[in-house]
Amino acid sequence: KGLTSRAVIVAGCIEGLCPVRNDDLTTTDQRRMLEEQRRLFYVAVTRCREVLTLSSVTQLEKRTAYKIGAIVRGRGEMGSTITSRFIDDLGPTRPVPVAGRAWVANGFE
């Protein structure tokens, strides 16, 4: 408790992965699970001192998405991912998304 790190990376910030979805649970248990995952996400993003990286992908092969539980939209073999609702929970001061290539080109800043 209370530990911090110079850098924190939260990977997979897409619906179905963060938060994980489990339709086999009751509505009450789904709500509890969602709140626990939201709490853990909050803990992760508040532990960094310098660099916070929230990572995701914009597209996934639908077969892969199904296997890992990611929610995707669209037709064809590839689907567009949905950004994790936890990103929206960060409010209007949340960081602006930066594409991977631009992030690398800017020295990971």
Side-chain angles (χ1 to χ4, degrees):
K1 246 183 173 184
L3 297 177
T4 61
S5 179
R6 183 176 160 271
V8 172
I9 300 170
V10 181
C13 293
I14 57 176
E15 284 294 313
L17 296 182
C18 180
V20 170
R21 189 168 122 177
N22 187 339
D23 294 331
D24 294 333
L25 298 175
T26 66
T27 303
T28 300
D29 287 341
Q30 285 180 15
R31 189 174 59 251
R32 285 183 186 144
M33 187 170 133
L34 176 64
E35 290 309 311
E36 177 63 8
Q37 290 179 75
R38 181 175 278 119
R39 185 190 71 74
L40 291 172
F41 182 80
Y42 174 82
V43 168
V45 300
T46 58
R47 294 303 184 243
C48 79
R49 293 189 309 264
E50 295 177 32
V51 179
L52 171 63
T53 302
L54 305 174
S55 175
S56 68
V57 295
T58 56
Q59 290 193 323
L60 273 175
E61 185 179 20
K62 286 186 176 176
R63 183 174 45 211
T64 301
Y66 176 76
K67 286 180 183 177
I68 64 174
I71 301 170
V72 295
R73 295 182 180 154
R75 297 179 184 212
E77 292 182 22
M78 296 296 288
S80 297
T81 60
I82 302 165
T83 303
S84 171
R85 68 186 81 185
F86 295 162
I87 303 298
D88 288 337
D89 289 350
L90 297 174
T93 59
R94 70 181 175 267
V96 177
V98 178
R101 288 185 181 125
W103 187 57
V104 171
N106 289 325
F108 304 102
E109 292 182 20

